[in-house]
């Protein structure tokens, strides 16, 4: 199915299955003005036929719709970037009703001591709250007069009230940024991201971070302790309480690699698979029968292409789907 607007830009960044079996997609378009980008949300049925569409006219010409989750009342919680212009206006939540009408809009991460805040994803918790995963530059006293990049986790309730908001450790000296998070049965948070190593061997590691239910750092675990570059982009629980983290990294020979690490809940490596091509993986999910689905893109012969991979919980290609699909 193709979703497009004549002579206009359209891009989706997130989606969630709706309560009626359809989908709600969130992204960005320049339909209202060819020189400005606004967030928009589309509700489709299970055949990807449009039921309704909402475009939110932002006062800032560089505004994105990033991610979306269901709410308990049949509506949605939308993560919006840069709804208004300004340094403290970069991370927003819109609570929407079932037809996309705005119930409230609230900005977060407004501390003037932080810089360059980014948000990447939103997670629904079992206590009817939502956790935003992102990053900011924060004045960690470990490095006097210097701000270092850190994961920020922001937990809010259904009314938009902040439960906690802060960097991953206020004084632990850990350079970090996060992409996606998941929770365990007690609402502890596990985040896939990157840690910049400050001791030899220097470089960036794809990394697993654990945060307590109250927002305090618990541990981090580098998944590639000597990679020159690296990040984990997705995270999911298998049904046996092990984790799957899709990661990309560069080794000492400057070889770029994409693969999946399987770890226990402490981040100890149990298994891994390395793909023959270097893909960018941006989304993942666990199927009803405990298979891991990965979606992303690749590049070959001067062209980008979409791709999907299906793996078992042992990180083997599914018996039916033995190679990545390309589109």
């Amino acid at each position: 199915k193709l979703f497009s607007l004549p002579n206009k830009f359209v891009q989706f960044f997130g989606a969630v299955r709706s309560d009626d079996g359809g989908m709600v997609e969130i992204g960005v378009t320049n339909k209202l003005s060819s020189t400005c980008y606004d967030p928009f949300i589309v509700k489709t049925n299970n055949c990807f036929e449009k039921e309704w569409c909402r475009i939110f006219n932002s006062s800032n010409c560089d505004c994105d719709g990033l991610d979306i989750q269901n709410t308990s009342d049949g509506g949605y919680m939308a993560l919006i970037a840069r709804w208004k212009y300004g340094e403290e206006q970069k991370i927003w939540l819109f609570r929407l009703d079932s037809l996309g009408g705005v119930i409230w809009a609230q900005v977060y991460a407004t501390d003037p001591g932080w810089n360059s805040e980014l948000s990447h994803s939103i997670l629904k918790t079992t206590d009817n709250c939502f956790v935003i995963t992102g990053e900011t530059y924060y004045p960690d006293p470990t490095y006097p007069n210097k701000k270092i990049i850190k994961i920020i986790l922001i937990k809010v309730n259904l009314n938009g009230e902040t439960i906690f908001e802060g960097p991953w450790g206020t004084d632990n000296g850990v350079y970090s940024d996060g992409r996606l998070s998941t929770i365990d049965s007690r609402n502890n948070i596990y985040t896939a991201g990157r840690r910049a190593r400050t001791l030899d061997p220097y470089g960036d590691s794809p990394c697993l971070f654990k945060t307590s239910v109250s927002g305090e750092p618990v541990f981090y675990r580098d998944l590639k302790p000597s990679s020159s570059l690296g990040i984990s982009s997705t995270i999911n629980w298998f049904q046996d309480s092990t984790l799957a983290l899709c990661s990309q990294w560069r080794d000492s020979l400057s070889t770029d690699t994409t693969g999946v690490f399987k770890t226990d809940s402490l981040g100890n490596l149990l298994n891994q698979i390395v793909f023959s091509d270097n893909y960018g993986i941006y989304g993942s999910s666990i199927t009803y029968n405990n298979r891991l689905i990965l979606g992303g893109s690749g590049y070959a012969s001067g062209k980008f292409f979409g791709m999907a991979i299906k793996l078992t919980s042992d990180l083997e290609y599914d018996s039916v789907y033995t190679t990545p699909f390309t589109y």
Side-chain angles (χ1 to χ4, degrees), residues 73-285:
D73 59 355
Y76 307 97
M77 194 73 77
L79 179 61
I80 306 292
R82 302 176 301 277
W83 174 244
K84 295 181 180 180
Y85 178 81
E87 183 66 29
E88 280 79 54
Q89 301 286 338
K90 295 185 175 181
I91 299 178
W92 287 75
L93 286 181
F94 284 21
R95 182 181 171 187
L96 310 174
D97 62 26
S98 61
L99 296 177
V102 178
I103 299 173
W104 54 254
Q106 176 65 43
V107 64
Y108 300 92
T110 59
D111 189 325
W114 302 4
N115 292 104
S116 303
E117 301 87 5
L118 291 175
S119 55
H120 295 291
S121 60
I122 182 173
L123 166 72
K124 185 177 180 180
T125 63
T126 60
D127 54 356
N128 204 29
C129 292
F130 298 85
V131 173
I132 301 168
T133 300
E135 63 196 61
T136 189
Y137 280 87
Y138 178 82
D140 189 316
T142 308
Y143 302 91
N145 303 315
K146 184 178 182 180
K147 295 182 180 181
I148 67 174
I149 190 170
K150 282 182 171 288
I151 292 171
I152 50 171
L153 296 173
I154 304 168
K155 184 174 182 179
V156 306
N157 63 21
L158 192 60
N159 295 320
E161 299 164 335
T162 302
I163 307 300
F164 61 75
E165 174 184 278
W168 202 81
T170 58
D171 58 358
N172 60 11
V174 176
Y175 286 72
S176 60
D177 60 85
R179 289 297 181 268
L180 291 176
S181 294
T182 188
I183 55 171
D184 63 16
S185 60
R186 299 181 179 180
N187 283 314
N188 296 302
I189 304 166
Y190 296 76
T191 301
R194 173 184 72 96
R195 186 180 80 90
R197 304 187 305 274
T198 56
L199 298 174
D200 192 29
Y202 299 99
D204 295 346
S205 290
C207 195
L208 168 66
F209 301 85
K210 181 179 179 180
T211 308
S212 73
V213 64
S214 60
E216 297 298 321
V218 178
F219 69 77
Y220 67 82
R221 182 61 60 92
D222 292 337
L223 302 176
K224 280 290 180 181
S226 60
S227 55
S228 60
L229 294 173
I231 192 167
S232 290
S233 55
T234 75
I235 185 168
N236 299 91
W237 290 105
F238 283 121
Q239 293 171 7
D240 61 356
S241 296
T242 58
L243 287 161
L245 297 99
C246 190
S247 304
Q248 295 83 44
W249 64 92
R250 179 176 294 173
D251 62 22
S252 59
L253 300 176
S254 296
T255 302
D256 293 326
T257 305
T258 302
V260 177
F261 299 109
K262 181 178 179 179
T263 76
D264 62 18
S265 60
L266 296 176
N268 297 309
L269 184 63
L270 303 176
N271 197 0
Q272 68 177 15
I273 183 174
V274 173
F275 302 127
S276 58
D277 292 295
N278 182 33
Y279 303 117
I281 304 296
Y282 312 113
S284 62
S285 185

Side-chain angles (χ1 to χ4, degrees), residues 41-105:
I41 296 173
V42 179
K43 170 66 171 65
T44 58
N45 62 21
N46 58 5
C47 294
F48 202 62
E49 297 164 335
K50 185 181 74 172
E51 296 182 346
W52 53 259
C53 175
R54 294 272 189 168
I55 302 176
F56 303 97
N57 191 1
S58 172
S59 59
N60 181 15
C61 275
D62 185 24
C63 183
D64 295 330
L66 297 179
D67 200 5
I68 194 163
Q69 289 288 338
N70 297 302
T71 58
S72 57
D73 59 355
Y76 307 97
M77 194 73 77
L79 179 61
I80 306 292
R82 302 176 301 277
W83 174 244
K84 295 181 180 180
Y85 178 81
E87 183 66 29
E88 280 79 54
Q89 301 286 338
K90 295 185 175 181
I91 299 178
W92 287 75
L93 286 181
F94 284 21
R95 182 181 171 187
L96 310 174
D97 62 26
S98 61
L99 296 177
V102 178
I103 299 173
W104 54 254

Side-chain angles (χ1 to χ4, degrees), residues 26-41:
I26 187 170
V28 62
T29 182
N30 66 345
K31 176 178 172 57
L32 301 183
S33 170
S34 60
T35 59
C36 288
Y37 293 88
D38 296 301
F40 81 122
I41 296 173

